[in-house]
Amino acid sequence: MNVNEEKKKWLSGLSVDELKIVAAEVGLRPFAARQMADWLYKKRTAQVEAMTNLSVAARQRLQELGYVVGRIEPIQVQESCDGTKKYLFPTLGSGAIEAVYIPDGERATLCVSSQAGCKMGCRFCMTGRQGFQHHLTAGEILNQVLSIPESERLTNIVFMGMGEPMDNLEAVLRAVEILTAEWGLGWSPTRITVSTVGVVPAMERLLRETKVHLAVSLHDPFGEERHALMPIQNRYPIGKVVEALRKFDFAHQRRLSFEYIVFDGVNDSPRHVEGLTELLRGLNCRINLIRFHAIPDSPLRGVAPERMRWMNGALNAAGITTTTRSSRGEDILAACGLLSTLAQK
């Protein structure tokens, strides 16, 4: 499903420096860039016409040059019995994307997508099974945040939706900059978590250039077994990923977590607990255990609740802070690993 915006130029997703170039194009002074940013990211306007502290001539010129704010409303919403909502968005390229809104008391998290589809091919993920369509622009990433009805209520954002954020790093960095800049949405970076399967060079750059939290998809401490679940292991072995992470400081505000989906008879043994303990020894981190949500035609199976409790206890006893993530939105296919817009292609 597409939005016919190819000839339009989005203002949303541009930095202040880029907006200065736009301002010059339409005959405005550089300070007008801050005015536009205020309209785009603080006032959250959806129309160029609403930017009333720009001259009428400048607004008309923006439109003549093909500039639009850059908003796409969701075309579908599904609500889970637990209050989770899954939004479907058209994109500027082929395919569609999904974003998931997760309310939890005073906390309200949006799980955003960074790509339409995904190249990584993880065996337990419906998005990976879908394959890759295209990268999202920074504007399309921000659009998920700005265009849902609950936008003003959000307290946290996680880049854990469709796609591998490190595979679209430039757009993700730009979106994070706008989310956290004082001229943008002004969020603390501690409200944002970015996930990765372990694309080391991009991961290191994200850690150098931002202060957001990082979540690494681990799922098995042993290389050959992890490769059977995650083809990325062949290019970036988990040992090398952890070695790269040891160069960074996670002892203060920034948090490092490892995501670990538990599969029955695959990665849930005492041997795996020992392997995780050895792999992560001395690293300031936590493990999030995640229940596997079955996908069609997959031999993988989740474990019983008592097995999850055992693994949680065993890892904590071994000295690794471990939590078990609550499953949300499974009835609307919004839970971890279930996002797919294959039917929308």
Side-chain angles (χ1 to χ4, degrees):
M1 188 173 296
N2 296 331
V3 173
N4 188 22
E5 292 277 349
E6 290 85 352
K7 296 182 181 179
K8 301 295 184 181
K9 294 182 280 190
W10 280 29
L11 296 172
S12 184
L14 299 184
S15 68
V16 164
D17 286 341
E18 290 165 326
L19 289 171
K20 286 179 182 177
I21 297 171
V22 175
E25 249 188 296
V26 296
L28 293 171
R29 301 284 295 275
F31 69 80
R34 287 270 179 164
Q35 294 175 317
M36 285 190 277
D38 187 65
W39 284 107
L40 293 168
Y41 306 127
K42 288 187 166 58
K43 296 186 176 72
R44 304 186 182 205
T45 185
Q47 300 294 332
V48 169
E49 295 91 331
M51 298 180 179
T52 50
N53 55 356
L54 304 184
S55 69
V56 172
R59 281 177 276 160
Q60 289 176 340
R61 185 62 179 150
L62 281 169
Q63 293 174 82
E64 288 168 5
L65 292 173
Y67 284 106
V68 294
V69 165
R71 288 289 192 86
I72 306 176
E73 295 296 318
I75 56 173
Q76 185 183 102
V77 58
Q78 295 174 269
E79 185 166 3
S80 167
C81 60
D82 63 23
T84 299
K85 293 182 180 179
K86 183 171 71 170
Y87 288 97
L88 178 70
F89 288 91
T91 71
L92 298 178
S94 60
I97 55 166
E98 293 178 325
V100 180
Y101 171 73
I102 309 166
D104 185 14
E106 294 183 358
R107 185 182 176 99
T109 301
L110 186 67
C111 179
V112 299
S113 294
S114 55
Q115 296 176 311
C118 185
K119 299 176 185 176
M120 298 299 126
C122 297
R123 311 301 187 208
F124 45 81
C125 179
M126 287 292 288
T127 311
R129 183 178 288 186
Q130 173 178 327
F132 176 73
Q133 279 78 62
H134 69 96
H135 297 306
L136 299 186
T137 65
E140 287 178 289
I141 294 171
L142 291 167
N143 181 68
Q144 297 165 71
V145 177
L146 298 172
S147 292
I148 63 168
E150 299 85 2
S151 179
E152 298 280 2
R153 285 184 245 162
L154 294 175
T155 62
N156 297 82
I157 291 172
V158 293
F159 284 74
M160 296 182 181
M162 300 176 68
E164 163 55 46
M166 299 305 114
D167 192 42
N168 188 20
L169 184 63
E170 293 296 339
V172 168
L173 286 173
R174 182 179 297 222
V176 167
E177 179 188 12
I178 293 167
L179 287 167
T180 57
E182 53 84 18
W183 49 260
L185 274 71
W187 279 37
S188 165
T190 60
R191 296 168 63 182
I192 302 168
T193 301
V194 179
S195 69
T196 181
V197 295
V199 182
V200 173
M203 179 186 77
E204 291 178 318
R205 185 177 166 201
L206 177 88
L207 291 172
R208 286 194 303 268
E209 296 184 15
T210 77
K211 296 181 180 179
V212 298
H213 299 315
L214 183 71
V216 178
S217 296
L218 202 169
H219 309 308
D220 200 299
F222 303 114
E224 188 173 336
E225 294 178 13
R226 187 172 185 260
H227 181 260
L229 296 169
M230 305 173 67
I232 195 68
Q233 170 69 19
N234 189 50
R235 186 169 183 187
Y236 297 112
I238 191 59
K240 295 293 185 183
V241 175
V242 172
E243 182 181 320
L245 291 169
R246 292 188 186 278
K247 303 172 189 173
F248 295 90
D249 179 13
F250 297 101
H252 297 92
Q253 285 190 313
R254 171 177 272 167
R255 186 175 63 243
L256 170 63
S257 59
F258 289 92
E259 311 295 283
Y260 197 93
I261 300 175
V262 186
F263 304 105
D264 183 34
V266 174
N267 64 350
D268 62 338
S269 72
R271 181 175 65 89
H272 291 91
V273 171
E274 293 171 8
L276 288 166
T277 304
E278 183 61 31
L279 177 68
L280 304 179
R281 191 182 306 279
L283 188 60
N284 199 309
C285 66
R286 67 176 58 223
I287 291 178
N288 289 324
L289 298 180
I290 303 169
R291 182 167 66 83
F292 175 57
H293 304 101
I295 62 177
D297 304 317
S298 172
L300 297 168
R301 296 289 179 266
V303 299
E306 55 268 23
R307 193 62 175 173
M308 291 286 282
R309 288 193 290 270
W310 169 82
M311 196 157 190
N312 187 310
L315 286 165
N316 274 298
I320 303 177
T321 301
T322 302
T323 58
T324 299
R325 184 187 295 172
S326 298
S327 180
R328 300 290 299 272
E330 187 173 5
D331 57 322
I332 58 169
L333 301 181
C336 181
L338 296 183
L339 298 186
S340 175
T341 55
L342 193 60
Q344 310 296 328
K345 287 177 67 178

